[in-house]
Amino acid sequence: MNIKNIYIWSTFIVFGLSLFACSDNFLDRKPDDQIDESQVFTRYNKTDGLVTDLYANIRSANRPLVFFNNFSTAPVTDECEGSSVEGGATNEFNSGDWSPQGFPTNNNTSCGEYWWDLYAKIRKANVILEGIKKYNTPDNPLSPGDLNSRIGETYFMRAYLHYLAAREYGEIVYVNHTVTTQESLVFKRESFQSVVEKICQDCDSAIAHVPVQWSGQDFGRVDKGACLGLKAVIRWMAATPLWNGGTLPSDTRQFKSDYTYNADRWVKARDAAKAVLDFKINGAPRYSLYTGHTSTDFTNDAGQNTSNSKVYARLWDMYYDMASYKQEAVFFVTNDKNQAWQGDVYPPSWGGGSRQMPVQEQVDEYEYIAPDGYGYPVYSPRAATDGYDDGNPYASVQRDPRFYRDVIYFGSTFKGKVINTASGSDKINAANSTTTGYFLHKFYKESWNRDKSFNISAPPIWRLPEFIYIYAEAVNQISGPNQEIYDLLNQVRTRSFMAPIPPAAISDKSLMNEYIQRERRVELFYENDRIWHCRLYLEPSSAVEMAKETAWNAAGSDNDTKSQNYWPYPKCQRMINGMRPVEDPAGKIVVNGKHYRMQRYFVESRVFNAPRHYLFPIMYDELQRCPTLLQNPGW
């Protein structure tokens, strides 16, 4: 298509293989809607505006807190349960009520994260890159070099959008030019490994143009570190079982022969992650773990411990202190939600609606600190000997400090009140209350009030711990555990005031892998990681996890009994569990003068069919327009 004016761009065909207008295109507004292509790309300020618009587009395509607009991805995993408000989109995913005919959405609209929207945004990136080249766009006369940066940022954003598509759909079409109406609309998907190489090529193109770091009002733009980060993440994905040696049931992937195990993929993931860890500016590391505040600082953001808080100030502020973003965030977007969203998640006793609540599967992953000074899972053989009591799971032993930051539980103090899920407005299954026995705590400072205006930007898209985990896992896969990765993992734990991994892991590859995976799950809880991680590792059809599922099913005559008799629970994404208080004169937990012990219970069954739910389906109308696009397995 020979685009004659930018208005056509906002109304003509986009590569999603469907005809619809780009309603979020700022160019639709007057009086610029009649400016032709040459007038845009021969002016720096107009071209700069297109890049700014593309930044807004990639933000909407991947928002960690609100990936599904009013819900995160946590409730479609064994991290959280979602409520039924606003259509309960996450519950529709969990019941299997989605298909190529339609996805669960908010008010039947995409939030920008699905196939058609991603390719609309990819088209914009291609139009920008081709327009700059065709018309030799001039540089910013007030700040020479800006155009070069805009080119690099656009290369990154094109790569990033393809990464998002590959994360959801696997084998995708890599589009590196503007599709015209003169072309035959015959598009073929590529091997995931081929897509990875093209993403890395675009990242390298971006690295050649963007600065090492931005400052001032430009902080947050794409820099070299963000490009290195994307390369590390996509290299890691290429090394994981879904794309590297794992067995997918009834595998109909077009390029499945490309996915036989290749150890070199872990080598590339290791080297890409190490490039992030070793990235320096003027000889000093670009990224470091945030370590504000001290080990005695249990304060709210007013500087006072008025709520009997067990949360270290450092663990609050690492998601809000600008110093944390400057030190630790590798790439981030801003202002996902405002103060109203906080109320959605608060307990009813504080006017909240419990929109998303942690489940027992997640709670069990927070280790305890043993008398020997090391951290162990509560389901380890030694836990009971060390004092862990499942009837008093939150105080019989000291849990990982990140647990107290992330989860509101029975008997905990929140905003000066003791949380009571046994009676009152916060009772389990009461109106707008929890159905799992827990409320979400992560990202919330206890001094915040719903009537105070603020925006929530946490968490970053990627931050330093993720690359530590990628590097540690890759090293462990290639050559086994060593002191280097043991120390790296413990740096993250020490930052969170958590006890180190036991030294036995230094010489035990399997044990080290368990700690890496558990550490990732705890540190990145509710940060849009688990939904992709469980799929990349084929957990729902893993022989180990399915054996656990069989054992759970044989553990009792009813589901509650099974949940009490057999845990840790299988990671098959086909159930979630909770914990409720039961009155017991011998109970160790005292709330309102009554003694309680905690008891596990079954919350709900979920649907996860393999291979269907490992990848998102391409919509039928897309396939009808382009039959050469083959559907994903199971759909």
Side-chain angles (χ1 to χ4, degrees), residues 441-459:
H441 202 192
K442 192 170 185 179
F443 305 135
Y444 297 110
K445 293 187 177 183
E446 294 186 14
S447 62
W448 282 349
N449 293 313
R450 291 184 64 181
D451 59 349
K452 298 296 175 63
S453 178
F454 57 86
N455 288 311
I456 301 172
S457 299

Side-chain angles (χ1 to χ4, degrees), residues 360-361 363-366 368 376-384 388-393 396-397 399 545 548-549 551-553 555 559-571 575 577-579 598-601:
Q360 192 61 41
E361 282 83 345
V363 170
D364 285 342
E365 295 303 308
Y366 293 88
Y368 71 96
Y376 300 92
V378 297
Y379 45 80
S380 66
R382 62 176 291 157
Y388 175 74
D389 175 7
D390 209 46
N392 183 23
S396 57
V397 290
R399 300 292 288 271
E545 298 305 326
K548 291 180 183 178
E549 190 173 55
W552 182 89
N553 277 308
N559 287 338
D560 279 357
T561 302
K562 295 173 185 177
S563 293
Q564 291 155 21
N565 290 341
Y566 187 90
W567 55 279
Y569 303 117
K571 298 180 176 69
M575 72 168 83
N577 294 272
M579 188 80 91
M598 302 306 295
Q599 184 179 75
R600 294 168 180 266
Y601 68 99

